[in-house]
Amino acid sequence: QVQLVQSGAAVRKPGASVRISCKASGYGFTDKYLHWLRQAPGQGLEWMGIINPKNGNTNYAQKFQGRLTLTRDTSTTIVYMELSSLESEDMAHYYCARDNGIGGWSRGVFDYWGQGTLVTVSS
Amino acid sequence: EILMTQSPATLSVSPGESATLSCRASQSISTNLAWYQQKSGQPPRLLIYGGSTRATGIPARFSGDGSGTDFTLTISSLQSEDFAVYYCQQYNKWPLFTFGPGTTVDIK
């Protein structure tokens, strides 16, 4: 079965960086795009970026340009999300999610989600 | 950016009744709309995409309709497990995906 398993909660100081992993299993890792989204406490969902695990190509929401980096390791089927220059407003649950596009393209629909990783930003 | 709005913010429904949730896009998105359900402490769950196509394993009591700018999600005969927050999401403009603010369906 398809599973996306994320790394555990993280606490960072303002200005620091955080890296979260997302281990994919149960399907062809390079066949499906993976996205990262976040949700601040009590708030809605915000799309952050997408990575093509086949070639590592990425696209980021303009809001996160310059401080968001998505990478992947095909040998371990893990995708990483690194967000730098953290502020209190970055405190949120971060989710990886699989794209349900077929034939090697991205549709932009999120059919499987990781369990979420809470990032706390506090001095 | 395509802005998504949802109404109502909260819908109080008795078990067994039906619920209709609305979602509106700030510009036409064809049928490039998905619906998700989220329960407290859990990630979202895909219910509907393409405006009306149920995702794998989603019960038939969930149905989606609409195209252009106006969409609805109907849940017929609400079960206890259906009380949750529902989000709509547009994917018409790749990769500028945006979500609505959500509708909470709670027990009347």
Side-chain angles (χ1 to χ4, degrees):
Chain A
Q1 72 283 22
V2 175
Q3 280 194 304
L4 298 174
V5 179
Q6 299 180 219
S7 49
V11 179
R12 298 288 184 271
K13 295 187 185 308
S17 298
V18 67
R19 188 174 87 151
I20 302 170
S21 65
C22 172
K23 165 79 174 170
S25 61
Y27 71 98
F29 178 67
T30 57
D31 293 340
K32 302 281 191 179
Y33 285 71
L34 277 164
H35 301 260
W36 286 87
L37 304 97
R38 73 179 187 180
Q39 186 172 37
Q43 302 300 308
L45 294 156
E46 180 175 34
W47 179 81
M48 299 177 69
I50 181 175
I51 185 167
N52 181 346
K54 189 166 190 174
N55 56 23
N57 287 349
T58 56
N59 274 279
Y60 303 131
Q62 187 170 9
K63 175 177 181 177
F64 300 103
Q65 291 276 0
R67 67 184 191 109
L68 175 63
T69 304
L70 303 184
T71 56
R72 96 291 189 215
D73 182 337
T74 55
S75 66
T76 58
T77 69
I78 295 175
V79 170
Y80 296 94
M81 186 281 293
E82 183 165 12
L83 188 63
S84 62
S85 303
L86 290 169
E87 304 173 352
S88 58
E89 291 74 25
D90 294 316
M91 194 152 26
H93 281 92
Y94 288 76
Y95 295 100
C96 59
R98 194 185 80 161
D99 193 294
N100 83 342
I102 58 175
W105 62 280
S106 164
R107 177 183 272 135
V109 174
F110 317 116
D111 62 354
Y112 287 91
W113 295 65
Q115 82 275 21
T117 298
L118 177 61
V119 173
T120 301
V121 182
S122 174
S123 54
Chain B
E1 179 180 315
I2 299 176
L3 298 178
M4 307 299 293
T5 56
Q6 292 185 241
S7 61
T10 303
L11 189 58
S12 297
V13 185
S14 299
E17 292 184 339
S18 67
T20 299
L21 290 63
S22 295
C23 174
R24 176 168 288 178
S26 61
Q27 63 188 75
S28 178
I29 57 171
S30 184
T31 56
N32 295 314
L33 183 101
W35 290 95
Y36 300 85
Q37 175 195 68
Q38 188 177 31
K39 298 178 183 178
S40 181
Q42 296 183 18
R45 172 194 182 197
L46 176 65
L47 299 175
I48 300 280
Y49 63 97
S52 61
T53 301
R54 276 189 300 277
T56 303
I58 300 303
R61 65 179 181 273
F62 291 91
S63 63
D65 195 12
S67 65
T69 60
D70 293 302
F71 300 84
T72 57
L73 174 71
T74 300
I75 313 169
S76 61
S77 190
L78 267 133
Q79 309 293 301
S80 58
E81 62 266 29
D82 300 334
F83 294 97
V85 181
Y86 292 83
Y87 294 97
C88 62
Q89 175 236 335
Q90 68 79 22
Y91 52 97
N92 189 64
K93 194 162 185 176
W94 196 97
L96 304 177
F97 313 117
T98 51
F99 290 83
T103 290
T104 299
V105 177
D106 65 16
I107 301 176
K108 189 173 184 179

